[in-house]
Amino acid sequence: MTTAAAPTDALAQDFVAFAVEAGVLRFGEFKTKAGRLSPYFFNAGLFDDGAKLGRLAGFYAQRLIASGLAFDMIFGPAYKGITLAAAVSMELARLGHNKPFAYNRKEAKDHGEGGTLVGAPVRGRVLIIDDVISAGTSVRESIAMIQAAGATPCGVTIALDRQEKAAENGVDMSWSAVQYVSEQLQLPVISIAGLADLLQYLRSTSDVVASGHSAAVQAYRDRYGV
């Protein structure tokens, strides 16, 4: 199963530029979950006001509509996926594609309606939404919850595909977390942009400060890229 991430296009370039301008995509030296020192860091939690979140939702919606992926509803894993599911559902409705959404609680509620799932009934073909896929753990947990509800996971959509090797117990794998989801879990992954798009942006931008990080990002991709 292939990953539905465009190699590089106008939407991806616009998204990378927006993420840099919003301060969501930063450059320097950052330690990743795998213990690597990355020359860039993407923190979707910094899409933290209405204008930025609305524009982010627009990028997700455009990419999803263009992908042609058929889905009946959106599922956002706690915590970042909750905001993303709500925002993207609103934007899709604005564009004429009204889809229900649901999300999970980290801890089951023992009063009221109870349970761990909130929102629309989880049924039909369910699209999982998140910011990135670091190890695939959140996706596997989401799949289990969706299947337990009697529904069918049909794909995953993310903002940024880091396009780098996964790591297990400190050992680099030959595949990325996105490739694992696509090939092993058999779910298409639709990303707004990837590391290749970031590199193209850095090489073409007139922002001297940002372009100065191009060599470091390329070196990181040469070492850890897939």
Side-chain angles (χ1 to χ4, degrees):
M1 185 172 292
T2 57
T3 299
T8 187
D9 56 23
L11 186 71
Q13 288 302 299
D14 288 348
F15 173 71
V16 172
F18 163 55
V20 172
E21 291 161 10
V24 173
L25 192 48
R26 300 181 177 184
F27 303 97
E29 191 171 86
F30 308 91
K31 193 168 186 177
T32 69
K33 287 182 179 179
R36 299 167 183 160
L37 289 180
S38 171
Y40 74 96
F41 180 58
F42 179 78
N43 182 2
L46 296 176
F47 289 115
D48 56 7
D49 64 34
K52 285 184 283 193
L53 182 61
R55 194 168 174 202
L56 171 64
F59 282 109
Y60 270 108
Q62 289 179 66
R63 185 63 89 207
L64 284 169
I65 292 169
S67 76
L69 179 70
F71 60 96
D72 299 310
M73 67 176 298
I74 300 172
F75 179 80
Y79 289 104
K80 287 180 182 176
I82 297 174
T83 301
L84 294 174
V88 174
S89 181
M90 290 173 66
E91 179 63 13
L92 284 170
R94 191 184 71 82
L95 296 172
H97 301 266
N98 191 25
K99 303 287 184 181
F101 72 93
Y103 55 91
N104 69 294
R105 296 186 179 95
K106 286 286 189 179
E107 296 180 3
K109 186 178 178 183
D110 60 4
H111 60 281
E113 73 278 16
T116 59
L117 299 180
V118 184
V122 177
R123 57 193 177 200
R125 299 163 298 183
V126 183
L127 174 71
I128 300 165
I129 188 168
D130 216 332
D131 55 346
V132 296
I133 299 175
S134 297
T137 305
S138 176
V139 174
R140 288 193 298 270
E141 292 174 350
S142 296
I143 289 172
M145 286 184 280
I146 291 166
Q147 291 177 334
T152 305
C154 68
V156 183
T157 184
I158 57 174
L160 185 71
D161 180 358
R162 288 182 60 95
Q163 296 180 303
E164 68 179 69
K165 296 174 181 176
E168 291 187 359
N169 300 317
V171 178
D172 291 340
M173 301 291 102
S174 60
W175 35 261
S176 71
V178 167
Q179 288 173 330
Y180 171 81
V181 171
S182 177
E183 296 167 15
Q184 299 301 315
L185 302 183
Q186 290 291 293
L187 289 179
V189 179
I190 299 166
S191 61
I192 302 171
L195 183 55
D197 301 301
L198 171 56
L199 276 167
Q200 177 166 320
Y201 167 81
L202 293 176
R203 291 178 184 131
S204 61
T205 183
S206 57
D207 183 336
V208 177
V209 175
S211 64
H213 296 283
S214 176
V217 175
Q218 181 63 60
Y220 186 83
R221 189 179 189 197
D222 289 343
R223 181 172 181 182
Y224 297 113
V226 293

